[in-house]
Amino acid sequence: MSSMLVGSDLLPSFGFVNKTPSTTTENRLVEKMGTQNLHKVFVYGTLKKGEPNHQWFSKDQTGYHKYLYNAKTTEKYPLIIGTKYNIPFLLNSPGNGTHVEGEVYEVDDKVLANLDVLEDHPNYYVRQLRDVRPLVDGDTEPSECGSISSWILEKNY
């Protein structure tokens, strides 16, 4: 389900990543990553940039995370706001609701494990592999480039 991608292998068909990064940059990434796997994670609520839980991406200084792009789910899902803290919940009910907009990050095993702790996976939220479609240049409509599988946390109910 996950893949080990380095440097120029990162999404070359979308043009979101420089196709010719320096060898030094690639070497630093490999040194930091070691044998960690990389995962794509779609976030739609408090983990987005500027939101209160975004710092969980960098909680472990040895972990790796990188913002890739904004995206929308390819299927519709109910997105509700609940609790006294106005927490967003995406419900596992494909085909109902709306195409949810969020951000896609690339993370290593350490960061993914930290996010699982925050979201109490698999008790409170359940991590599911779902397809999302990148948004290009701040557009609100998905690109024609195809969809990407990404982990999404859905409310366990």
Side-chain angles (χ1 to χ4, degrees):
M1 300 289 172
S2 62
S3 59
M4 183 65 171
L5 301 175
V6 177
S8 60
D9 294 332
L10 298 174
L11 299 174
S13 63
F14 292 103
F16 291 108
V17 175
N18 183 349
K19 294 182 182 182
T20 56
S22 73
T23 304
T24 305
T25 302
E26 288 180 358
N27 289 341
R28 282 191 207 127
L29 178 60
V30 170
E31 286 172 12
K32 185 174 184 179
M33 293 293 302
T35 59
Q36 294 283 315
N37 292 311
L38 295 178
H39 312 272
K40 292 190 179 48
V41 177
F42 175 84
V43 298
Y44 54 86
T46 64
L47 283 164
K48 289 174 29 178
K49 284 186 264 181
E51 296 297 329
N53 286 324
H54 184 74
Q55 79 275 1
W56 277 78
F57 282 108
S58 55
K59 186 175 179 76
D60 182 337
Q61 295 299 314
T62 62
Y64 168 81
H65 74 282
K66 179 181 179 181
Y67 167 81
L68 296 178
Y69 43 80
N70 289 339
K72 275 189 178 179
T73 57
T74 58
E75 290 191 78
K76 293 180 178 182
Y77 292 92
L79 180 64
I80 60 170
I81 307 299
T83 80
K84 65 182 181 179
Y85 302 107
N86 294 321
I87 305 292
F89 300 103
L90 191 134
L91 301 180
N92 183 4
S93 184
N96 297 306
T98 186
H99 295 280
V100 178
E101 190 170 334
E103 300 169 348
V104 175
Y105 290 82
E106 183 173 68
V107 302
D108 66 5
D109 293 333
K110 291 178 184 180
V111 174
L112 187 64
N114 284 337
L115 297 179
D116 285 347
V117 168
L118 170 68
E119 304 292 6
D120 195 19
H121 166 70
N123 301 312
Y124 200 73
Y125 285 95
V126 176
R127 189 166 18 104
Q128 303 284 348
L129 207 53
R130 303 287 187 208
D131 288 337
V132 298
R133 191 172 300 265
L135 301 175
V136 181
D137 298 326
D139 290 339
T140 57
E141 292 303 314
S143 71
E144 301 280 331
C145 299
S147 61
I148 305 292
S149 288
S150 180
W151 289 114
I152 297 179
L153 289 162
E154 299 172 349
K155 177 72 176 94
N156 189 8
Y157 64 100

